[in-house]
Structure formats: structure tokens, C-alpha cells
Amino acid sequence: VAAKRVWPNVPVTVRFCGLVSSCAEIISPTGAGRPFWDRVSQAGVTWTERRAMRVADRILVPTPEHVEELAEFEPCTRERTVVCPEGSKALDFDHEGRRRIRAELGLSRTAFIVAAVGTCDRNKAFDHAIRELAHTPEGVHLVVIGDGPEREPLNQLIQREGVSARAKLVGRQSDMAAWLSAADCVASTSMYDTFPNVIREAMSCGRPVLVPRHDPPRVRAGIAGIIAREGGGLLYDRLSAGALTSAINELAGDRQRTERLGAVARRVAERVFDWGATVRQVRSVAGLEPDTTTPNACDRTVTRPATEDRAAPREHSDAR
């Protein structure tokens, strides 16, 4: 919004992965008990996001599911929205890190570890994973990596559910490659987490993922479409009790399948979450010449959008 006001004649492109306003509705208390200024803040965020979607000349989204989400939020965006790859940080599987982390956790090589990563808040909803863990075999363990306002309530829930021997909250960690490698799969339990970094990083590390099915408007998980189309993990019904348990048990009971899914996940990450493909598509949308020096480019062919006639003219190459 600010860019368009300062440079009204310069095309502005927005890279979109999720709506702050949608996520905030889950994190913050709702109803009459919600503080007045929280409601004012939420209204301001929603107005700003709607305004941004209206004034943007082009909106880049990572999946077709995001196109539909934006069109539902602000219908006028559909003709200006282009599906564009979203690159991700690539993590290599760390064999030594796997052994070290498991030793620190006091877990053997045969233990099946489910990792959940992110801020401990209502949206990430790690409480769902803790409740589902109670219905898995004794050899299954949950490791929550992250910190936040819900950490202490999560600790209390672990005690109430009787899974203190199998669930650990380890706080924030810097060496994510080692922690993801120590896990056998990585799960998302969010109601709104459309294109989570940790899921993409886990896949690049060769870990299969457990992701909620995209079920708008109740559950929005745009990355679920990639898993459904490309593979690399399992989808489960986030709103059905026992669905995550079944998915975990399915992988824990078939280690060979888990390894196969992990190998597929890595290949998908290398092909779909490649920064080279992202750069090529962004330059195409902006009307710029291809950058032949871009490192880490993949062989994937990226076609120009059908609405290319609306792309930014080359004389505006200073557009951000």
C-alpha cells in the first residue's frame, strides 16, 4: 500500500503466502471478551490486506489453492494472480546430527520420532499432536521444537494426557538440519498454515510429512495440494479425532514405506521448491530477460502466465 502511494506509476508485485488477518483470528481470543484494541488492530490488519490486494499490479502465489483463497478474500484479485514457485532453504540429511540428537533425547535408533516445529500458539495447535500421541504405540515419540505463549499449557497437557515419557518440548533450536534428521516424520497441526517453511525444509531433508487436508474455510493448508499431486507425505483430516493418530501409526508400522516417502519428499523439494525456478518465474512476470547466471537452477520449465500482457514494462526495472 505504501509503495503504491509513493510510486503510483511503478508496478508493484506482491508475493503472497498467507493472510495475517486469517491467522490472527485463530491466535487471538474471539467474542465479547476480546480486548477493544485487539479488535481495532484486527480490523486495521484486515483493511490493509484488502487494500494491498486491490492496488497490487500482480500477486504471486505458490499454489492454485492460494489463488482460490485470495479470490474468496478479495474477488478482484483473480485476474491478477499468478501461480509462481516458492523457493525454500535446502537442508541436507545429517547422519551424525541424527545420532547426536537422539542420544541427547535418550531415545534409541528404533524409536519413531514425530517432530512438530514452530511457535507454540493457538494456530500451530501442538495440543492436537499431544492428544493424538496418547493413542499411538509406546515406541512413538513427539518432539515439539519451538517456544511461545502456549508452551506452559502444553506442558500441563502432556502431564494430563499421561505422555510425559513420550513427549518433549525442547524450545527453539538453531541446528534445524540435525533436529529434522533426528525425526522420522514431521507433522503440521495448524488450522491455518498455507505454505509452512518447516514442511518444505523437512522434505528437502528427506523426511516424509503429515499435513492437514486443505478444507476451506475451516482448514487452509495450501501445501496439501502439492503433497496430493506430487507425493512425499500423508494427508489427514485435521478436524477428525484420530485421523493424525492413524497417519502416524501408518508410518510407524511400516518403516520401509516411511523411507520411500522420505526419498520422494526430497525429490519433490529439489524440483518444486527450487529458488532457480522462483527467480525465472519472477523475472518472467516482471518482463525481464532470463538470468542465465542464477545458481541452483533446476530443469523445470516455467511458462509465462496467460496474463503476460499485464506484466511490468521493462522501463520499470527498478520495481520491487
Side-chain angles (χ1 to χ4, degrees):
V1 174
K4 204 62 178 175
R5 287 181 175 177
V6 176
W7 302 293
N9 297 320
V10 176
V12 173
T13 297
V14 173
R15 162 55 91 179
F16 169 85
C17 285
L19 291 168
V20 176
S21 52
S22 295
C23 188
E25 288 178 358
I26 298 172
I27 295 175
S28 302
T30 58
R34 189 174 187 179
F36 171 76
W37 288 111
D38 277 5
R39 297 198 299 273
V40 171
S41 177
Q42 175 69 21
V45 169
T46 302
W47 181 91
T48 303
E49 288 189 315
R50 288 190 186 281
R51 182 65 177 163
M53 296 303 105
R54 289 170 186 162
V55 302
D57 295 276
R58 182 80 71 187
I59 304 165
L60 307 182
V61 298
T63 71
E65 288 77 9
H66 290 86
V67 177
E68 297 306 316
E69 178 186 356
L70 264 189
E72 180 182 324
F73 178 71
E74 189 57 57
C76 70
T77 61
R78 187 179 292 276
E79 66 175 9
R80 290 175 286 118
T81 304
V82 178
V83 176
C84 174
E86 171 73 9
S88 177
K89 180 180 180 181
L91 299 178
D92 291 326
F93 185 85
D94 185 350
H95 292 276
E96 177 56 35
R98 179 180 173 87
R99 289 190 290 269
R100 173 172 55 82
I101 296 299
R102 283 178 168 249
E104 291 177 3
L105 295 173
L107 298 178
S108 70
R109 64 180 183 85
T110 59
F112 189 89
I113 298 179
V114 181
V117 186
T119 302
C120 296
D121 60 25
R122 294 186 182 187
N123 182 47
K124 291 297 183 184
F126 296 139
D127 59 305
H128 183 68
I130 293 170
R131 291 188 177 92
E132 296 284 291
L133 177 69
H135 304 285
T136 62
E138 288 297 316
V140 176
H141 296 258
L142 172 68
V143 176
V144 176
I145 304 168
D147 207 347
E150 295 294 312
R151 184 170 179 178
E152 184 52 36
L154 290 175
N155 266 318
Q156 296 172 8
L157 178 63
I158 287 172
Q159 299 301 320
R160 290 199 302 272
E161 292 291 330
V163 293
S164 57
R166 297 197 290 130
K168 292 180 171 61
L169 307 182
V170 299
R172 295 176 181 174
Q173 301 295 326
S174 57
D175 188 1
M176 286 307 301
W179 281 92
L180 292 176
S181 298
D184 294 287
C185 70
V186 177
S188 169
T189 51
S190 301
M191 301 291 281
Y192 186 88
D193 206 350
T194 60
F195 211 61
N197 285 327
V198 66
I199 294 298
R200 290 178 282 155
E201 290 175 357
M203 293 176 70
S204 74
C205 204
R207 302 295 83 191
V209 294
L210 302 177
V211 176
R213 286 190 177 87
H214 186 61
D215 184 19
R218 301 176 300 171
V219 180
R220 295 193 185 275
I223 202 167
I226 290 178
I227 303 303
R229 292 184 289 270
E230 306 284 348
L234 300 180
L235 302 180
Y236 70 95
D237 187 346
R238 176 60 180 80
L239 298 176
S240 294
L244 178 57
T245 297
S246 297
I248 292 173
N249 291 344
E250 192 173 331
L251 294 184
D254 191 342
R255 300 298 182 95
Q256 291 184 341
R257 185 188 181 197
T258 299
E259 290 300 316
R260 290 196 301 270
L261 280 174
V264 172
R266 183 172 181 84
R267 291 195 296 270
V268 171
E270 291 173 347
R271 180 165 47 86
V272 178
F273 307 139
D274 172 66
W275 276 118
T278 303
V279 172
R280 289 196 296 274
Q281 177 74 324
V282 169
R283 294 183 69 87
S284 173
V285 169
L288 303 175
E289 293 292 341
D291 182 3
T292 58
T293 64
T294 301
N296 197 30
C298 66
D299 295 330
R300 184 183 180 199
T301 300
V302 180
T303 58
R304 291 174 178 262
T307 54
E308 186 183 346
D309 58 310
R310 296 177 60 90
R314 287 186 183 145
E315 58 264 29
H316 293 304
S317 60
D318 61 335
R320 296 294 183 266

